[in-house]
Amino acid sequence: MCGIVGYIGPRDATPIVLNGLKRLEYRGYDSAGLAVLQNGSIAVRRDAGKLDRLIDLVGQSPISGAPGIGHTRWATHGAPSARNAHPHLGSTGRVVVVHNGIVENFLELRDELTAEGVNFNSETDTETIVHLVEHYLATGLNLTEAARKTFLDIQGAHGIVLMSADEPDKIVCARLGNAGGVVVGLGEGENYIASDIPAILEHTRQVIFLESHQMAVVTREGARVESLEGKPVQAEVHSVSWDPVAAEKGEFRHFMQKEIHEQVRSLTDTLAGRVDFENGRIRLPELNLSPELAQRITKIFITACGTAAYAGMVGKYLIEKIARLPVELEIGSEFRYRDPIIDENTVVLAISQSGETADTLAAMEEGRRKGAVLWSIVNAIGSQAMRIADGYISMQTGPEIGVASTKAFTAPLVDLYMLAVLLAELRGVIDEQTRRNLVADLRFVPDLASRALNTEPIVEKVAWALKDVRDCLYLGRGINMPIAYEGALKLKEISYIHAEGYPAGEMKHGPIALIDRDMPVVCLAPRDPWYEKMISQIQQAKARGGTVVAVATEGDELVGGMADHIIPVPEAPWMLSPVVTVIPLQMLAYHIAAIRGLDVDQPRNLAKSVTVE
Ligand code: F6R
């Protein structure tokens, strides 16, 4: 996951920034860089590869001074190379930026800037930010105002830090949406900025967390926090514990809540270096998928357990719809006892956060024994499911500590979508325009997730209303049916409330008998191809006196008029809508369990990784 560190003060920023980046090293990255103000100019060192390469580079060709900013990157736009690594300098060489997020309107902005005569030196979306700042500086604005205008121009969710050689007394930073935190650390006559507290914990315990849509002007003396519209904000200063585990939780009470909020960032990293927005193409090099293999595959078995299996169910929809290839979903614990029909043209695709789940590994082994091609979508780097596969997609979510899986659910949804598009292209079953449209839709994913996270205050109110229920039914159809299963699983595993996920169309064949006013029904009703059908399910539940909680598209007055509680989610391309609809359900389960005072991160009887059959 991308990491950011900044320093302003009397000391040399170079070791402070490099040490800070080192503290974030376990997240992994593909390039790293550093910029400091040295004798009135900005000096930059950056390189592809691990942080040690940057440290060697700075050793061979030292730079020193302050302020300074640094970054570790997961590529989003453009391959991981020195040229695409952050920090990015503007054309004047006087302004420099580091950034987490995807500038959704970067193609439009780049065209406008290019028309003005700006030359782009990298393939990144980030470079538009620094050129825009320079564009506004050229109109006579100061750095703060030029940055503010830039922040208002760019779309998407971001964490941004920038500085200018012409205003060396400040660093300007902003948080737009939920693309990961921007933390300002307060010292004595010196201050810090970071994406994550561990990066600056050795220097200070006093921190300010920027909220979405806030920016800060950080000087040696302090930090002025403002809304993007320029209204001063009285930001709360938090005192964080030295305990690295507590510090890692940052502004959140539990890891699960933190991980839910990390999804904007993990989804940004999921697209990292794999989506070529300009040419409308997907790259999944570690999958080792040749055109020849793509064409000879006759069937894919997706195998996984629990939450990962529900992600696989969504994958079945996506691969069958986009790549027109038959997919069967089989949970890991059943697969090998069923004597599945497999040959060398079958792919067995395992999905696993830990990569060590015994049932999933056994299913992979069964696939291997029968001569299948083995693929995996895995979070834990170097795990067994990654090692034994012929090809893999790594989830890029960073460590998931909460037992209830959240960010390792949404990342594979996007991985499966990308896989479907790649398969479709290599199998020649998709025209270029459709492929370009499908790829273009991906750029909205982080921001859609960010907007879904903004429903938290509404979700919390619903959680208070449901906290004492004994049972709960979750209904969904089509691509959102697995989200009903996942929502129910989240609730039961951390709140110990009995919950059932059901295909909404099946309700009339039995479960409808359960509905009365003591049985809340959570209905997934976004505007997708199954919308009309879900409306009639909501009506049926209401007619039986059920309390309906609807997850519906923002502004949907029809559902709003029927449901007892409505959680409005942003409109999303329907094949990506599960990313948006599941987030409120994760938060609902979280808040109900937290209100009930339960051990959210380590629920009873459960282990993070189930390594026994
Ligand atoms: C539920 C949950 C489990 C896991 C399942 C598979 O929140 O976490 O259902 O999804 O045990 O684990 P992995 O993905 O590690 O194979």
Side-chain angles (χ1 to χ4, degrees), residues 449-467:
S450 173
R451 287 165 58 200
L453 285 167
N454 290 341
T455 61
E456 189 158 22
I458 300 171
V459 172
E460 208 175 335
K461 278 199 193 125
V462 179
W464 278 99
L466 299 193
K467 72 180 173 47

Side-chain angles (χ1 to χ4, degrees), residues 304-309 351-357 360 395 400 403-406 486 489-490 493 607-610:
C305 302
T307 287
I351 304 174
S352 177
Q353 187 288 128
S354 62
E356 300 292 349
T357 299
T360 306
M395 278 188 206
E400 191 179 64
V403 164
S405 191
T406 53
E486 172 59 6
L489 176 61
K490 284 289 93 85
E493 70 180 323
K608 184 69 189 155
S609 172
V610 185

Side-chain angles (χ1 to χ4, degrees), residues 28 201 302:
L201 198 61
I302 298 182

